[in-house]
Amino acid sequence: MTLRNLRGFAYLPVLVSFGLLAGSFPAAYAQSSTSNSKNQSSSSQPVQQEKAPSLIDPAGPTVSLVSSEPVFLMAAALNACGYNEGLEESAPVRQKVRDEINQALSKSEDARSKRDKICLYIAQHRMTGSERDIAQYISLALYLTPPPELETSAELTEMPPDSTQVVEILPLLKDFVAAVDLHGIWLTVHSTYDREADSLHDPLSKMIQATDLYLKMPASTEYGSRFVVVIEPMLSPSVVNARIYGTDFVVVVSPVNGKIRMSDVRHTYLHYVIEPLLNARANAIDRTQPILKEVRDAPLEFRYRSDTVPLTIECLIKAIEARTMDTGVPVYKIPANAAREDMPQYEHERQIYQQKVDAVRLATVRHDMTQGFVLTQYFYAQMITFERDPASLKDSIGEMVYSMDVDQQVHRARQIEFDKEADGEVLGRSQPRKLTGLDLAESKLAGGDVATARSLAMQALAVGSRANFILARAAIMTGHPDEAIDRFQKTLATSKDQRLLAWSHIYLGRMLDLDCKRDQAVSEYQLALTVRDGEQDTRLAAERGVKTAYAVKGHSCDDDADDDSPGAAAVKPGNSTAQPGTQKPQ
């Protein structure tokens, strides 16, 4: 069968208006590219009934860097169900695993069925469209035993609430893992995880050593707590998922070439070191209660506005970060061979350098204060004194807390004009990702800028089949059916992405329907069902195509338009908000 012999494409321009390209790709798993620390960062009030995650080894090292097969399995399942956030920035192993999963799915209807069931569950449990949706599954994965059991390592009442909200996914996860042999895939990529861990070991160790050196105290084992960094390249590199479980801290990161968001990990490590010190002095901190009245209009999370202990902890950490931050000011060094008579000039230049550094640090402190962390300035001054004293933070923290003049701090807080909006915590300060390459091409195509979309896709043809898929849709929008068919067929010949494959078949089926070649169109829809991507929009579009011929009003094959494709209603006459093709497969 050839698709080139389609007759009468004078109607192609109308296809755009009546939905052939309309809204074809709802976000498979819509997520913010910003890490949401409100939902996943550590709380300063440990939940005592929670047991440690299964990967915590009570007899293990105080600080460790590990990988986790249950976390991998969960992350791989999320990827199979359209979790694409940060894909282009991720380590190559992420795409390798996705390709292997797609290969297994292409060979087995049972595997596709198992995938569809777990994807449906995930779709039904999307709550916020943010990182919180992913975080709940990672939280659950941290409490799972290795396969094939994949059972929770604690009673539900002893687990974090967010993890128990999705615990019903476990039977579906087990079935999916078995159907695509995810354990086998894990065995093939585990060495890659080990290499990522090796690359990350030295920079992580240097960060921890530098922090301990500044605080003049080693990683504490006094409370039997553990700080565990879990590497999982199947997640977005822009996200750091940090949590407290009792006294144990777990940070899940996605390294790329040995690099992670180290400042975010350090922020969590500071919580790990400092929280026990200040929690032990909670009664003394309670005397700062009057400050809460002054910060009620600040853009702070509720826990900071309602409890002085977490507020104090965060302020001390922000002060430490300001004192140790990279200010971006080039380091000034007096030349080794400086003449004695030139020393006054060199000393003057050194002082100017220090003034610039101090200005950057103090600007950071002022910003933290206007965000509502009103004790940051107090602790910043205390840390200057601390740096000159040989005593450790553990030995100095009591005096810092007990010697605080609360009335003075209340008065200072009262003078602050707070910001209207919060930045979010350190884990939430990443900026939205700037669209580039094929992502930008998709955006331009969605906005009707076909020429720019086409130009960007042509530049990326060597990258892979997604460029051909974009060019095919652009060809339809500009009335070039032969090119569209050729591009869709190239996509089918080269792509391993089920979403690209399924929608290429659906598009070709619709074009055949409009050319009154119903039998051939049905074959394309059936092929789309065979290679479906587990998303509801793909299945519904293909099933509807099998049941009823695609048509547009005014077309001779069928006078009754049947256009219930995703988003099609948004582009019908009378709706000026039409944005065809607003989403993309990944």
Side-chain angles (χ1 to χ4, degrees), residues 62-63 212 217-227 269 272-273 276-277 394:
T62 302
V63 178
D212 291 346
M217 53 186 293
S220 175
T221 58
E222 180 178 347
Y223 302 96
S225 58
R226 297 290 183 269
F227 183 82
Y269 183 72
Y272 166 72
V273 175
L277 302 179
K394 180 180 178 182

Side-chain angles (χ1 to χ4, degrees), residues 55 65-72 186 190 193-194 197 228-233:
L55 53 73
L65 174 64
V66 301
S67 58
S68 166
E69 183 176 359
V71 174
F72 163 79
W186 164 254
H190 190 255
Y193 277 54
D194 289 341
V228 181
V229 178
V230 182
I231 62 169
E232 185 41 73

